[in-house]
Amino acid sequence: MIRGWTARLLGGATGLVYLFLYAPVLLLVVFSFSADRNVGRWGGFTLEWYREFGANENVQSALAISLQVAIVSTLVATVLGTLAALALERFRFRGKKVFDALLYLPIIIPDVTMAVMMLLFFTWSLDLVDTVTGFQLRKGIATVVVSHIAFNISFVSVVVRARLEGMDQTLEQAAADLYASRWQAFRHVTLPLILPGIVGGALLALTLSLDDVVITQFASGPGSTTLPVYVFGLIRRGVTPLINAVSVVMLAASVLLVVLSLIAQRSREPGRATTE
Amino acid sequence: MTVVPELTEHERAHEAAESRRGFLMALPAYLYLIVFFAIPLAIVFVYSFATRSRTGGTDLSGWNLDSYGRLGEDIVTRVVFRSFGLAMTTTIICLLLAYPFAYFVATRRPAVRGLLLVGVMIPFWTNFLVRNYAWRVLLSNDGPVSQFTEAVGLGETQILFTQVAVVIGLVYGFLPFMILPLYASLERIDPRLIEASRDLYASSWASFRKVVLPLSRPGAIAGSILVFVPSFGAYVTPAILGGDKKPLLGSYIVSQFLTARNWPFGASLSSVLIIVMLSATLVYFRAGGRNL
Amino acid sequence: MASAVELKGVTKRFGDVVAVDDVDLSIADGEFFALLGPSGCGKTTTLRMIAGLDLPSAGSLTIHGEEVGPLPPNKRPVNTVFQNYALFPHLSIEDNVAFGLKMQKVAKGEVGRRVAEAIELVQLGGMERRKPTQLSGGQQQRVALARALVNRPKVLLLDEPLAALDLKLRQGMQNELKALQREVGITFVFVTHDQEEALSMADRIGVMGDAKLLQVGRPEEIYEQPVSRFVADFIGRSNFLPGTVAAASTVTLANGASIPAPTADRAAGTVVDVSLRPERVRVEQRDAAPDDVARLDGVVRSATFLGNAMVYSLGFDWLELEARLENRPSQQRFSPGDEITVWWREDAIAVVDGGSG
């Protein structure tokens, strides 16, 4: 339907967009192996900066904290988000509309305001705990995890809901007709069919958790600096080849997650009725 | 003859049981979001009416509108207009880049389409901080871009720490948000509609303008909201690529908490930002959009 | 005869909409029963209530004498073949068929034996390991049948089982389903909007319209003695001649002619329609019709050649009739403008209540 010079023009524009999308990160990868101390100059091949990455204790501990936060918040958000998606797609209940709206909010609200919300909330609530019980709690890894779960639930539920929406509901009715109890129908029919959606949602949650800077910064306290927050701080003080290497490691982690999520998506479409 | 039992009660009991089951499944997430999202949101509103004490703490006892009064100050309006202009610029550039791209992808064979889309998904999933940092490297003094422009005789480029750099970073960061909904709405257009318009004497340009463009509008609106909202409140990109001299809304809000320590004022700025964003989204949903 | 399924005063409301209105129906054990009606008439909802997928708002529903109204689908001795088959896409054919038995915790050995038997019954041997998407529409339908029958239900429910198949396949499956039902001896209740399907397959038919069960009977009864204009119109095609009952067994048509007709116990003066099937209309050249029968003089308006028949539109000054004459070598043909006389045998007509119902 589109031929000739229009197609060539569009194709050219598409090529340029790809160049725009990929050239910067690819150059970053190249420069991470450059011996020159100036981050944007090629000075011969070296693995020095990766060695420094391995040796830098601050980076290592921030990485460990990042992974802890990401894994725990993803697990909790995946369970809660999936349950929420099931409730919204398959049931009618009181307060459903309010819940639906509440679930959308964390997606719409800008990072900065969510960060402010977390800062004020933890300040207020930890104060409250202090005055009521006398326990002096401080912001730390736990508060970061709590804030990550708060935004990840929404993203997981959106992905799982999309999968549930695409699934033929008569399959669940067929299971019930074939003597499956509610639990059996879920376990043997619904769950296997929406699993790619759940995995996709979990991988998105993992990505978002490893991406976040500003919310984490506001929800964390001493000793709970994640890798992105640490790197962000480094960048603000000036670029170094070490940051190049750390960035490429984070990039590699992202790419790994993309590949996994693509594999999850590739698995068969949910049970749409197939008729010929 | 057996007595015919009245079954409406079973029906009602069944529905009540279903409703209870659904509610119980929603409950964990529901409670979580109330405690860790709705209450924090309410606290921001509460703080926005409080007073900053001399020591930089917050005095919650005397409620007033002082913080909102400060919104009219010159510095604030300048920050807001600057951020708005930057976010608009970013959105328009994204739209201009994404439209031909999405149109091209949507008109390919399905196999090719999938491959081209994966090409967009990868940057979408790539760490945001790293993507911004890549531009910091590219645009650095003596960096690759500068080396290139010098080599072709244009002299050194000095765009790092300017608003141009921020727009580049924002477009780079949010372009996939524009491409994906645009592609979704373009892909859904039945090619027979275009054929029909051609059959009815439309030139290819006219059929694009009268058929494709209106039908892809929901995607364009969804994409624009998805790009505009995070651009307007952006913090990380300006912090890495922009200068300190001309603050944007995101960094201005952050600075109220980290450096100026005027929490009530920061809270009132946040409240306004939240209300603006929610209204924009609400308007979009009211207008019948569903692509978010 | 024992009732396999019995509905008494069954009503289903969805909010303010009455989907099924006070239905009384008794389906005999071993019967092949069709619920026939246009879309939205409540036939599928009725089937779903028997299956337990919808709960009745009122009334009693028994299966082999046991009240099942409030029971969930998994506690009922019935199985369903869904309209789009609803085969589990993530399970092989074998696992699809075994699903019900596994849910009932039937012993492993028996599951294997019965599944093999069921797959054999629907002639899908060799396909056990395939996934549903790798099968044709007709094969998927057989899997759906095997998956339901393997549980030896007391009643098998089929929701538009043939609607998704193309015409040729559909005709073949009609015969197969009928044969299969005789072989397994299970009560089949199937829902369809296709009158030919219902007429050719069912032992008895229940015609539904606008949430109500209008008539239940053998296919010939439904066709020959429709109880209402709706039924006559929905099953096959029909002409309606408006008139009023003059006396027992006599109807005065709107043109003033009195004809003998089976008026049943309708009182004189009742407004009625006389239903006359197109293929029962006899057409002769003017005045060639026998004298001792009801007859009408008219003109041929149009003639349509259908291959196996000719369909004529015949004009009279007070109505139009459709006539269908088989394409036999001896059959006389007419052309538009021909002056003709139509007549019919007394037993060719039925009387239904008048008006537009």
Side-chain angles (χ1 to χ4, degrees):
Chain A
M1 63 198 236
I2 295 171
R3 297 175 219 96
W5 64 270
T6 339
R8 246 166 288 154
L9 211 66
L10 284 173
T14 304
L16 285 177
V17 168
Y18 271 120
L19 187 69
F20 175 65
L21 287 175
Y22 283 92
V25 275
L26 291 179
L27 280 172
L28 179 64
V29 174
V30 171
F31 285 122
S32 73
F33 296 105
S34 163
D36 199 314
R37 278 227 154 254
N38 193 326
V39 290
R41 259 181 190 284
W42 183 251
F45 181 85
T46 182
L47 287 173
E48 175 58 25
W49 319 122
Y50 289 94
R51 251 191 296 280
E52 202 178 320
F53 168 84
N56 188 316
E57 277 175 25
N58 286 334
V59 172
Q60 292 304 315
S61 82
L63 177 61
I65 289 168
S66 269
L67 289 176
Q68 279 176 47
V69 169
I71 290 169
V72 175
S73 70
T74 297
L75 285 178
V76 177
T78 303
V79 173
L80 297 193
T82 301
L83 282 173
L86 281 165
L88 285 169
E89 282 298 314
R90 292 291 191 265
F91 295 92
R92 276 186 302 180
F93 54 92
R94 257 204 212 182
K96 181 172 168 171
K97 275 197 175 147
V98 177
F99 181 52
D100 200 357
L102 187 60
L103 209 47
Y104 260 115
L105 282 181
I107 299 176
I108 298 164
I109 270 181
D111 285 5
V112 170
T113 47
M114 181 110 180
V116 170
M117 284 161 53
M118 291 303 144
L119 175 70
L120 298 186
F121 172 73
F122 288 125
T123 307
W124 169 81
S125 59
L126 297 184
D127 248 18
L128 190 73
V129 171
D130 187 10
T131 39
V132 172
T133 66
F135 282 116
Q136 295 210 342
L137 301 176
R138 310 188 70 190
K139 288 190 295 181
I141 294 179
T143 50
V144 174
V145 169
V146 164
S147 64
H148 282 209
I149 295 170
F151 62 74
N152 272 337
I153 288 178
S154 302
F155 287 95
V156 171
S157 83
V158 164
V159 176
V160 176
R161 275 182 86 175
R163 187 85 188 179
L164 273 168
E165 240 173 58
M167 184 186 147
D168 184 1
Q169 279 200 45
T170 53
L171 292 175
E172 284 155 12
Q173 296 172 0
D177 183 64
L178 294 165
Y179 312 104
S181 65
R182 285 303 278 261
W183 167 248
Q184 285 174 315
F186 175 75
R187 165 80 189 70
H188 295 289
V189 176
T190 314
L191 186 61
L193 287 173
I194 63 167
L195 198 59
I198 297 174
V199 172
L203 289 169
L204 181 62
L206 215 51
T207 304
L208 292 172
S209 181
L210 290 172
D211 246 21
D212 182 69
V213 173
V214 62
I215 297 169
T216 309
Q217 205 174 27
F218 275 45
S220 61
S224 58
T225 303
T226 61
L227 191 58
V229 171
Y230 183 70
V231 171
F232 181 66
L234 287 183
I235 297 172
R236 299 215 68 183
R237 266 178 269 139
V239 289
T240 63
L242 170 66
I243 305 178
N244 283 6
V246 179
S247 297
V248 173
V249 171
M250 285 160 76
L251 192 70
S254 303
V255 172
L256 180 72
L257 288 176
V258 189
V259 172
L260 289 177
S261 85
L262 286 175
I263 292 170
Q265 279 175 15
R266 282 287 296 275
S267 52
R268 209 184 337 67
E269 275 291 287
R272 289 178 191 288
T274 43
T275 50
E276 280 155 55
Chain B
M1 179 82 200
T2 51
V3 181
V4 178
E6 179 58 60
L7 286 172
T8 27
E9 229 166 87
H10 291 299
E11 207 179 13
R12 226 179 296 133
H14 174 78
E15 289 204 343
E18 284 292 278
S19 164
R20 205 160 42 238
R21 200 174 265 144
F23 185 76
L24 283 176
M25 288 172 81
L27 196 61
Y30 214 158
L31 284 180
Y32 195 97
L33 287 177
I34 287 173
V35 175
F36 297 114
F37 190 85
I39 291 179
L41 191 63
I43 291 174
V44 172
F45 287 119
V46 170
Y47 264 74
S48 71
F49 297 106
T51 318
R52 174 180 188 260
S53 70
R54 287 230 189 90
T55 53
T58 304
D59 181 5
L60 284 169
S61 55
W63 285 46
N64 60 70
L65 288 170
D66 294 358
S67 298
Y68 287 94
R70 282 197 58 194
L71 294 176
E73 283 175 17
D74 263 5
I75 163 91
V76 181
T77 46
R78 250 181 285 138
V79 165
V80 170
F81 277 115
R82 192 182 297 134
S83 302
F84 184 84
L86 228 62
M88 279 307 271
T89 314
T90 304
T91 308
I92 291 167
I93 293 175
C94 279
L95 197 56
L96 292 178
L97 286 177
Y99 206 101
F101 181 91
Y103 194 50
F104 182 77
V105 175
T107 51
R108 296 306 97 187
R109 279 181 292 118
V112 180
R113 232 186 273 166
L115 216 62
L116 289 171
L117 267 189
V118 168
V120 181
M121 289 305 290
I122 292 173
F124 175 77
W125 283 74
T126 305
N127 192 290
F128 188 73
L129 185 64
V130 172
R131 279 188 288 157
N132 278 301
Y133 175 71
W135 279 101
R136 173 78 173 254
V137 171
L138 288 183
L139 297 176
S140 61
N141 287 338
D142 242 11
V145 171
S146 197
Q147 287 168 34
F148 175 78
T149 50
E150 241 175 310
V152 297
L154 290 169
E156 267 182 47
T157 24
Q158 296 261 357
I159 56 174
L160 188 62
F161 305 133
T162 66
Q163 297 196 10
V164 177
V166 176
V167 170
I168 291 176
L170 290 175
V171 170
Y172 190 60
F174 300 131
L175 188 59
F177 287 125
M178 184 67 89
I179 291 177
L180 295 174
L182 252 187
Y183 164 79
S185 67
L186 283 168
E187 192 253 355
R188 227 175 290 151
I189 297 175
D190 187 341
R192 282 172 303 183
L193 292 178
I194 296 160
E195 286 166 7
S197 72
R198 296 305 302 271
D199 180 58
L200 296 166
Y201 314 109
S203 67
S204 60
W205 170 244
S207 94
F208 173 78
R209 218 162 47 89
K210 301 275 185 196
V211 178
V212 178
L213 213 51
L215 287 174
S216 63
R217 188 147 56 209
I221 294 174
S224 297
I225 289 177
L226 289 176
V227 171
F228 183 85
V229 169
S231 301
F232 191 47
Y235 168 67
V236 171
T237 308
I240 293 177
L241 297 170
D244 291 330
K245 297 216 182 77
K246 292 183 170 173
L248 295 169
L249 190 55
S251 24
Y252 192 60
I253 291 175
V254 168
S255 71
Q256 297 310 315
F257 291 93
L258 297 188
T259 48
R261 292 200 69 77
N262 190 339
W263 289 21
F265 182 49
S268 69
L269 285 169
S270 306
S271 305
V272 172
L273 183 57
I274 290 168
I275 289 166
V276 170
M277 294 307 173
L278 289 190
S279 333
T281 328
L282 218 61
V283 166
Y284 170 64
F285 274 112
R286 278 284 154 78
R290 273 233 59 189
N291 280 61
L292 276 183
Chain C
M1 197 160 48
S3 278
V5 180
E6 183 140 13
L7 284 75
K8 278 189 192 140
V10 169
T11 297
K12 178 65 184 176
R13 281 182 291 267
F14 292 109
D16 293 335
V17 181
V18 179
V20 174
D21 191 1
D22 196 17
V23 165
D24 290 303
L25 173 64
S26 175
I27 296 168
D29 196 12
E31 194 170 29
F32 198 139
F33 190 90
L35 271 174
L36 174 65
S39 62
C41 71
K43 58 189 192 298
T44 296
T45 305
T46 305
L47 195 79
R48 287 172 61 86
M49 283 193 284
I50 301 173
L53 298 168
D54 283 323
L55 292 181
S57 306
S60 142
L61 208 166
T62 55
I63 293 172
H64 284 268
E66 191 199 346
E67 176 66 44
V68 295
L71 289 184
N74 53 324
K75 301 266 166 64
R76 296 185 183 209
V78 300
N79 288 110
T80 309
V81 173
F82 288 83
Q83 180 164 12
N84 290 316
Y85 316 135
L87 299 180
F88 304 125
H90 59 301
L91 299 180
S92 66
I93 301 314
E94 201 170 33
D95 289 338
N96 260 284
V97 176
F99 193 90
L101 298 176
K102 283 183 182 162
M103 291 302 118
Q104 296 178 94
K105 308 234 155 47
V106 172
K108 239 189 178 164
E110 198 188 338
V111 171
R113 197 170 45 74
R114 277 166 71 175
V115 167
E117 239 173 61
I119 288 178
E120 202 51 49
L121 181 73
V122 295
Q123 299 154 29
L124 280 178
M127 305 266 187
E128 290 87 347
R129 307 241 166 253
R130 295 209 193 164
K131 290 284 174 74
T133 45
Q134 294 169 293
L135 302 186
S136 71
Q139 289 169 328
Q140 290 182 23
Q141 217 243 355
R142 290 157 194 264
V143 177
L145 270 168
R147 187 178 72 172
L149 286 172
V150 74
N151 304 293
R152 297 180 188 148
K154 289 187 174 155
V155 180
L156 182 75
L157 307 171
L158 304 102
D159 186 5
E160 304 263 6
L162 306 177
L165 303 179
D166 60 45
L167 185 69
K168 273 244 170 77
L169 205 53
R170 197 152 65 212
Q171 286 163 347
M173 279 309 283
Q174 281 182 11
N175 298 332
E176 259 185 62
L177 262 183
K178 187 85 195 130
L180 188 68
Q181 194 259 343
R182 290 223 184 83
E183 190 178 336
V184 297
I186 292 173
T187 312
F188 277 31
V189 180
F190 85 106
V191 153
T192 181
H193 66 273
D194 182 337
Q195 38 125 347
E196 258 179 58
E197 206 170 282
L199 291 172
S200 65
M201 282 159 66
D203 296 328
R204 281 197 310 151
I205 298 174
V207 183
M208 287 191 75
D210 200 20
K212 291 195 169 64
L213 185 62
L214 302 171
Q215 186 173 5
V216 178
R218 287 178 295 106
E220 307 87 76
E221 274 167 17
I222 302 266
Y223 191 79
E224 306 288 356
Q225 290 131 36
V227 295
S228 69
R229 185 170 168 147
F230 178 88
V231 174
D233 209 24
F234 190 72
I235 317 290
R237 297 174 65 90
S238 196
N239 297 297
F240 295 101
L241 290 68
T244 47
V245 176
S249 299
T250 308
V251 169
T252 306
L253 295 177
N255 68 342
S258 278
I259 57 162
T263 57
D265 46 8
R266 288 180 180 82
T270 311
V271 178
V272 294
D273 280 317
V274 173
S275 162
L276 173 60
R277 301 275 183 200
E279 72 274 16
R280 300 279 166 81
V281 178
R282 311 285 283 261
V283 185
E284 310 282 355
Q285 246 154 14
R286 181 67 53 86
D287 301 330
D291 291 332
D292 54 341
V293 293
R295 39 189 285 176
L296 299 168
D297 289 345
V299 181
V300 175
R301 289 266 166 80
S302 70
T304 308
F305 178 67
L306 289 184
N308 59 357
M310 289 292 295
V311 170
Y312 297 102
S313 173
L314 307 172
F316 305 87
D317 43 8
W318 58 293
L319 86 162
E320 258 188 46
L321 289 183
E322 186 183 303
R324 180 190 172 100
L325 305 182
E326 290 303 312
N327 187 3
R328 271 187 245 101
S330 59
Q331 178 65 53
Q332 188 175 9
R333 295 231 181 138
F334 302 94
S335 307
D338 286 358
E339 301 203 320
I340 45 85
T341 296
V342 301
W343 63 282
W344 57 84
R345 285 166 49 126
E346 197 186 320
D347 59 0
I349 55 175
V351 174
V352 297
D353 288 334
S356 54

mmCIF file of all heavy atoms in Angstrom, chain A residues 246-262:
data_model
loop_
_atom_site.group_PDB
_atom_site.id
_atom_site.type_symbol
_atom_site.label_atom_id
_atom_site.label_comp_id
_atom_site.label_asym_id
_atom_site.label_seq_id
_atom_site.Cartn_x
_atom_site.Cartn_y
_atom_site.Cartn_z
ATOM 1 N N VAL A 246 30.695 0.773 34.759
ATOM 2 C CA VAL A 246 29.496 0.431 35.551
ATOM 3 C C VAL A 246 28.258 0.512 34.666
ATOM 4 O O VAL A 246 27.383 -0.360 34.695
ATOM 5 C CB VAL A 246 29.355 1.389 36.758
ATOM 6 C CG1 VAL A 246 28.101 1.037 37.544
ATOM 7 C CG2 VAL A 246 30.572 1.321 37.654
ATOM 8 N N SER A 247 28.206 1.572 33.833
ATOM 9 C CA SER A 247 27.049 1.743 32.948
ATOM 10 C C SER A 247 26.893 0.561 32.012
ATOM 11 O O SER A 247 25.792 0.081 31.773
ATOM 12 C CB SER A 247 27.210 3.014 32.117
ATOM 13 O OG SER A 247 27.234 4.132 32.956
ATOM 14 N N VAL A 248 28.009 0.104 31.468
ATOM 15 C CA VAL A 248 27.924 -1.011 30.529
ATOM 16 C C VAL A 248 27.451 -2.278 31.241
ATOM 17 O O VAL A 248 26.683 -3.066 30.684
ATOM 18 C CB VAL A 248 29.273 -1.223 29.802
ATOM 19 C CG1 VAL A 248 29.238 -2.493 28.960
ATOM 20 C CG2 VAL A 248 29.567 -0.023 28.915
ATOM 21 N N VAL A 249 27.866 -2.453 32.487
ATOM 22 C CA VAL A 249 27.376 -3.606 33.245
ATOM 23 C C VAL A 249 25.859 -3.501 33.438
ATOM 24 O O VAL A 249 25.113 -4.463 33.244
ATOM 25 C CB VAL A 249 28.091 -3.715 34.614
ATOM 26 C CG1 VAL A 249 27.423 -4.787 35.479
ATOM 27 C CG2 VAL A 249 29.566 -4.042 34.418
ATOM 28 N N MET A 250 25.391 -2.287 33.790
ATOM 29 C CA MET A 250 23.946 -2.097 33.959
ATOM 30 C C MET A 250 23.218 -2.309 32.628
ATOM 31 O O MET A 250 22.124 -2.868 32.572
ATOM 32 C CB MET A 250 23.657 -0.685 34.498
ATOM 33 C CG MET A 250 23.999 -0.565 35.989
ATOM 34 S SD MET A 250 24.231 1.147 36.544
ATOM 35 C CE MET A 250 22.565 1.711 36.619
ATOM 36 N N LEU A 251 23.861 -1.860 31.559
ATOM 37 C CA LEU A 251 23.306 -2.049 30.226
ATOM 38 C C LEU A 251 23.154 -3.530 29.921
ATOM 39 O O LEU A 251 22.110 -3.988 29.429
ATOM 40 C CB LEU A 251 24.254 -1.402 29.217
ATOM 41 C CG LEU A 251 23.765 -1.225 27.804
ATOM 42 C CD1 LEU A 251 22.682 -0.168 27.771
ATOM 43 C CD2 LEU A 251 24.924 -0.802 26.907
ATOM 44 N N ALA A 252 24.193 -4.290 30.248
ATOM 45 C CA ALA A 252 24.160 -5.729 29.988
ATOM 46 C C ALA A 252 23.008 -6.377 30.750
ATOM 47 O O ALA A 252 22.290 -7.230 30.214
ATOM 48 C CB ALA A 252 25.491 -6.363 30.372
ATOM 49 N N ALA A 253 22.815 -5.927 32.011
ATOM 50 C CA ALA A 253 21.714 -6.475 32.810
ATOM 51 C C ALA A 253 20.388 -6.162 32.139
ATOM 52 O O ALA A 253 19.498 -7.028 32.043
ATOM 53 C CB ALA A 253 21.756 -5.888 34.216
ATOM 54 N N SER A 254 20.230 -4.912 31.621
ATOM 55 C CA SER A 254 18.993 -4.535 30.941
ATOM 56 C C SER A 254 18.747 -5.432 29.740
ATOM 57 O O SER A 254 17.640 -5.938 29.534
ATOM 58 C CB SER A 254 19.058 -3.097 30.443
ATOM 59 O OG SER A 254 19.321 -2.225 31.480
ATOM 60 N N VAL A 255 19.806 -5.621 28.945
ATOM 61 C CA VAL A 255 19.651 -6.424 27.730
ATOM 62 C C VAL A 255 19.239 -7.843 28.083
ATOM 63 O O VAL A 255 18.375 -8.433 27.442
ATOM 64 C CB VAL A 255 20.944 -6.398 26.883
ATOM 65 C CG1 VAL A 255 20.850 -7.387 25.723
ATOM 66 C CG2 VAL A 255 21.188 -4.996 26.357
ATOM 67 N N LEU A 256 19.831 -8.372 29.150
ATOM 68 C CA LEU A 256 19.464 -9.717 29.597
ATOM 69 C C LEU A 256 17.969 -9.769 29.920
ATOM 70 O O LEU A 256 17.255 -10.691 29.523
ATOM 71 C CB LEU A 256 20.286 -10.098 30.826
ATOM 72 C CG LEU A 256 19.990 -11.487 31.397
ATOM 73 C CD1 LEU A 256 20.534 -12.560 30.477
ATOM 74 C CD2 LEU A 256 20.576 -11.631 32.797
ATOM 75 N N LEU A 257 17.488 -8.729 30.618
ATOM 76 C CA LEU A 257 16.065 -8.700 30.979
ATOM 77 C C LEU A 257 15.183 -8.586 29.739
ATOM 78 O O LEU A 257 14.129 -9.207 29.669
ATOM 79 C CB LEU A 257 15.782 -7.532 31.930
ATOM 80 C CG LEU A 257 16.324 -7.702 33.348
ATOM 81 C CD1 LEU A 257 16.076 -6.455 34.174
ATOM 82 C CD2 LEU A 257 15.673 -8.899 34.019
ATOM 83 N N VAL A 258 15.617 -7.796 28.744
ATOM 84 C CA VAL A 258 14.822 -7.688 27.513
ATOM 85 C C VAL A 258 14.701 -9.043 26.857
ATOM 86 O O VAL A 258 13.605 -9.453 26.461
ATOM 87 C CB VAL A 258 15.498 -6.782 26.445
ATOM 88 C CG1 VAL A 258 14.533 -6.537 25.303
ATOM 89 C CG2 VAL A 258 15.974 -5.497 27.021
ATOM 90 N N VAL A 259 15.846 -9.730 26.744
ATOM 91 C CA VAL A 259 15.829 -11.022 26.064
ATOM 92 C C VAL A 259 14.871 -11.961 26.788
ATOM 93 O O VAL A 259 14.035 -12.620 26.169
ATOM 94 C CB VAL A 259 17.257 -11.618 26.014
ATOM 95 C CG1 VAL A 259 17.224 -13.046 25.492
ATOM 96 C CG2 VAL A 259 18.142 -10.755 25.123
ATOM 97 N N LEU A 260 14.945 -11.971 28.122
ATOM 98 C CA LEU A 260 14.058 -12.832 28.899
ATOM 99 C C LEU A 260 12.597 -12.462 28.655
ATOM 100 O O LEU A 260 11.744 -13.321 28.473
ATOM 101 C CB LEU A 260 14.381 -12.729 30.395
ATOM 102 C CG LEU A 260 15.693 -13.379 30.829
ATOM 103 C CD1 LEU A 260 15.928 -13.136 32.306
ATOM 104 C CD2 LEU A 260 15.664 -14.878 30.539
ATOM 105 N N SER A 261 12.318 -11.162 28.621
ATOM 106 C CA SER A 261 10.918 -10.768 28.463
ATOM 107 C C SER A 261 10.426 -11.082 27.056
ATOM 108 O O SER A 261 9.264 -11.415 26.855
ATOM 109 C CB SER A 261 10.725 -9.283 28.781
ATOM 110 O OG SER A 261 11.006 -8.506 27.657
ATOM 111 N N LEU A 262 11.335 -10.992 26.075
ATOM 112 C CA LEU A 262 10.927 -11.356 24.717
ATOM 113 C C LEU A 262 10.601 -12.840 24.645
ATOM 114 O O LEU A 262 9.627 -13.249 24.017
ATOM 115 C CB LEU A 262 12.025 -11.010 23.715
ATOM 116 C CG LEU A 262 12.166 -9.522 23.407
ATOM 117 C CD1 LEU A 262 13.349 -9.277 22.499
ATOM 118 C CD2 LEU A 262 10.886 -9.000 22.770
#
